Amino acid sequence: MMRTLVLNPPQLFFPQEDSSQQNPELNFKLKELECISLLKKCKSMEDLKQVHGHILKLGLFWNSFCASNLVATCALSDWGSMDYAYSIFRRIEEPVSFDYNTMIRGYVKDHGFREGLSLFEEMIDKDVEPDNFTYPFVLKACAGLSLHEGGMQIHGQILKIGFDNDVFVQNSLINMYGKCGRIGEACAVFEQMGQRSVASWSALIAAHANLGMWWECLELFRDVNKEGCWRAEETILVSVLSGCTNLGALDFGRSTHGYLMRNKEGQNVIVETSLIDMYIKCGCIEKGLYLFKRMSKKNRLSYSVMISGLAMHGLCYEALSVFSDMLEQGLKPDDVVYLGVLSACRQGLLVEEGVQFLDQLRHEHGIQPTIQHYGCILDLLGRAGMFEKAFELIERMQVEPNDVIWRSLLSAAKLHCNIKMGETAARNLMQQGSDNAADYVMLSNMYAEARRWNDVTMVRMMMASKGLTQVGGFSLVEVKRKLHKFVTLDKSHPNSEEIYEMIHQMEWQLKFEGYSPDTSEVPLDVDEADKRQRLRHHSQKLALAFALVHTSSEAPIRVVRNVRMCTDCHKYTKLISMIYKRKIIVRDRNMFHHFTDGNCSCKDHW
C-alpha cells in the first residue's frame, strides 16, 4: 500500500492551520476548493506528491471529485507520471467514466496505446458506460497500433450507442481509418457527416497524405477554400505543403505560402521548416535558403532539411557550411543530419571529407553508423571508381551488408561500365532475395550497353519468372498552377498535336548544334531507327516541349521525374537551355539539375 504523508509542508505552498481556531465542522466544500486550487499550482511531481499528502491528511481522497482531479493532474500534465497516476487510480473504489477517460487519454498522450486499450476493455467489462469523450482517444490508440479490425469493432459500438453523429467522434473515425490505410472507409465517414468542422477536413487530408495521395490532398484543400467557412489549421497546411513538395507543385506551394501570410500572424518551426522543404524540393533553393536565414528559431530538423536540400542541388560546400553553423550554435547532430552531410560529400565527390565525417559521427558524437550512412559512402567511393576501397569498407562495416549496399555498388558499376563489378553486386542482391525490379533492369541495361543481348534476354526472363515489372517513368511539369503528367510516347494529352510539332521544331534546332541521340540508352535489340524514335519522345522531352509552348520566355521551366535522368535527356536538355535561352530545373530520383546556357549544375556527375 502506498503511503504518502507530508511532513512540514512549505509555508508558502499550503496555508498554515491555526489549531486554536480550527473549526471541527470545517466546510467540506471549502476543503475541496482548497485542494483543487493547490492542484492547479503544481509544476512538478514533487508538488503533486505534497498535495496528494495534503488530500490524504484532510480525508478527501475518498471524495471522487478530489481523487479524479488528482489523477487528471498527474496523468495529463507534461511533467506528470502515468505510473503514479495509475497507482492513484487503482485506489479509487468505483472509478467513473471521467476517471477511465483521463487514464486512457494519458496513456495515448504518452504513446501507451496498448495500456489505453486495456483500460477501455476493463471499462466495458465493469459496465462503466463510455461517453463521447472516451471514443476519440480509444480510436487514437487503434490508429497508433494500426488496429483496423479493432477500430471497426469500436465503430460498431459507436453506432449502437448512438454517438455516430458526434463531430469529434466522427473526426476520430476518419483519423483512425486514415492511419490504418483504409481511405475508402475514411471518405465514407466524411461523406456521411451532417456537420463538419475544420478538423474534419484536416483528418481527411491527413488520411490521403498518409498514403501519399498528394494530388487528392491538393484537391481537398481547394474544396476547403471553396466552402470558405473556415481558416485552414496548420496541420492541413503542413499536409498540403507536403503534397506540393512531393509533386513539385511550386505555384500551388506559393499560393499556400501566401495563404499562411494572410491568415497566420506567425508560424511555428514545423510550418516554417515545411515551407523551406517545399521551396527546396520544388527547385527554388534560393528562396528556401532565404527563409531559413530569416528563421528566428531553428531546430535540428530545420538544419537537417537545409543541409540535405543544398546537397540535392549540388551545393555541397554550402551544405557543409550550414553544418558548421549548426555545430557552432551548440545543436547536437543526429543520424539524419549526418546522412545529409554524407549526401553532400557524395554529390560533390568529396571522398576524403566523406570518410572523415563517417569517423566523426562515430567518435565525436557517439552515433552508430546505419546501413544508410555506409550506403552513402560506398556510393561515393563507387562513383569515384574506388571499388577496392569500397570492398575494404564492406569488410570493416559493423553491420551486415544488405540490398542498400549492393545496390549502391551496382549503380556505380553501371556508371563506370564495369560489368564484372556489376555482376558481383547483382549476384549478392539476388542471393538476398531481391524483388526490386530496378536491380534487374540496371543489370540488363549494362548488358545492353555491352551489346550482350543473350544476357539481356536471360535477365528479362528472370524478371518475368518472378513476376517483376519495371516502374514506368514519367515527368511532371506545372503550368498555370496545373500539373501535367507525361510518359514516353504519350499521345493522351489534349495538346498532344502541338507538343509533337514543338518536338519537331526542337530537333530541327538541335541538328545545328551537332546533337546526335545516344541510342545506347535504349536497352532493346532493335534497329537504330526504332531506338531514335523511342528516344525522341521520352517523357522529359514531351514535358519540355509543352512548357516551351505554354510558359513565358522569362519563366524557369521546372520538371519532376520519378526515375533517374538518362544520359540522352541530360545532353538534350543542356542544349535546349542554350538554344531557347531558358533556365530549366529538373528534379530526378537522385538530385536537382539546374540547366543554364548549355551547362548543368551537376557537372555531368549524377
Side-chain angles (χ1 to χ4, degrees), residues 380-388 412 416:
L380 168 58
L381 294 171
R383 283 176 179 229
M386 303 169 70
F387 291 107
E388 286 186 14
H416 291 279

Side-chain angles (χ1 to χ4, degrees), residues 199-211:
S200 311
W201 287 98
S202 178
L204 189 64
I205 290 173
H208 285 85
N210 185 52
L211 294 175

Side-chain angles (χ1 to χ4, degrees), residues 222-511:
R222 284 195 182 101
D223 292 341
V224 173
N225 287 332
K226 281 179 188 175
E227 294 209 3
C229 302
W230 308 285
R231 288 186 176 183
E233 294 178 329
E234 287 185 345
T235 50
I236 290 181
L237 296 170
V238 169
S239 294
V240 170
L241 288 170
S242 294
C244 297
T245 299
N246 283 276
L247 294 171
L250 178 61
D251 286 345
F252 205 112
R254 280 175 173 156
S255 65
T256 306
H257 188 183
Y259 179 96
L260 270 166
M261 294 177 72
R262 290 191 302 272
N263 294 284
K264 304 285 181 182
E265 290 184 5
Q267 288 102 46
N268 61 33
V269 178
I270 295 172
V271 174
E272 286 183 305
T273 303
S274 297
L275 271 172
I276 292 166
D277 195 35
M278 182 275 294
Y279 277 113
I280 288 171
K281 290 180 180 171
C282 286
C284 284
I285 186 65
E286 298 88 356
K287 181 69 173 179
L289 192 56
Y290 171 76
L291 291 175
F292 176 77
K293 289 179 177 177
R294 287 193 61 188
M295 286 180 77
S296 57
K297 184 180 179 182
K298 302 180 182 78
N299 62 11
R300 189 161 56 192
L301 178 61
S302 310
Y303 276 101
S304 179
V305 164
M306 198 68 241
I307 291 166
S308 60
L310 288 164
M312 284 178 68
H313 285 268
L315 300 171
C316 315
Y317 291 104
E318 290 84 347
L320 299 183
S321 176
V322 171
F323 179 61
S324 296
D325 291 342
M326 177 185 174
L327 297 179
E328 287 176 9
Q329 294 299 318
L331 286 171
K332 186 178 179 180
D334 60 5
D335 58 328
V336 179
V337 172
Y338 264 111
L339 195 57
V341 171
L342 294 177
S343 295
C345 296
R346 177 184 61 189
Q347 297 293 4
L349 287 179
L350 307 176
V351 175
E352 187 177 337
E353 291 87 343
V355 173
Q356 286 175 354
F357 281 122
L358 184 65
D359 290 335
Q360 181 177 309
L361 75 91
R362 185 169 44 205
H363 299 125
E364 290 189 26
H365 293 109
I367 299 169
Q368 188 65 31
T370 65
I371 205 75
Q372 286 77 22
H373 294 116
Y374 285 119
C376 225
I377 291 296
L378 287 166
D379 194 27
L380 168 58
L381 294 171
R383 283 176 179 229
M386 303 169 70
F387 291 107
E388 286 186 14
K389 285 189 176 294
F391 273 99
E392 287 174 10
L393 179 59
I394 290 173
E395 291 175 358
R396 296 199 314 269
M397 283 187 341
Q398 297 175 349
V399 291
E400 283 294 315
N402 67 354
D403 59 328
V404 173
I405 300 301
W406 296 116
R407 193 167 293 121
S408 295
L409 287 180
L410 178 59
S411 178
K414 184 182 182 302
L415 178 67
H416 291 279
C417 301
N418 190 327
I419 290 180
K420 184 179 178 181
M421 187 61 62
E423 288 175 333
T424 300
R427 186 165 52 253
N428 279 279
L429 281 165
M430 292 170 192
Q431 285 174 357
Q432 293 183 353
S434 171
D435 286 329
N436 189 330
D439 300 335
Y440 293 85
V441 170
M442 215 180 308
L443 180 62
S444 172
N445 290 351
M446 286 179 68
Y447 286 138
E449 287 179 25
R451 307 185 71 81
R452 290 169 54 173
W453 302 114
N454 289 337
D455 291 324
V456 170
T457 303
M458 178 194 68
V459 174
R460 294 287 176 174
M461 287 176 66
M462 288 173 63
M463 286 181 66
S465 67
K466 289 175 174 282
L468 303 177
T469 54
Q470 184 178 358
V471 175
F474 64 80
S475 296
L476 297 172
V477 64
E478 187 179 19
V479 174
K480 297 176 182 176
R481 294 191 182 181
K482 185 177 179 182
L483 285 168
H484 300 262
K485 183 177 180 179
F486 297 93
V487 297
T488 298
L489 301 172
D490 195 352
K491 289 192 176 181
S492 63
H493 196 278
N495 301 87
S496 182
E497 193 173 323
E498 70 173 358
I499 291 169
Y500 277 78
E501 175 59 31
M502 187 63 193
I503 288 281
H504 180 71
Q505 292 182 31
M506 291 158 68
E507 287 184 341
W508 182 259
Q509 297 277 359
L510 286 163
K511 284 180 183 178

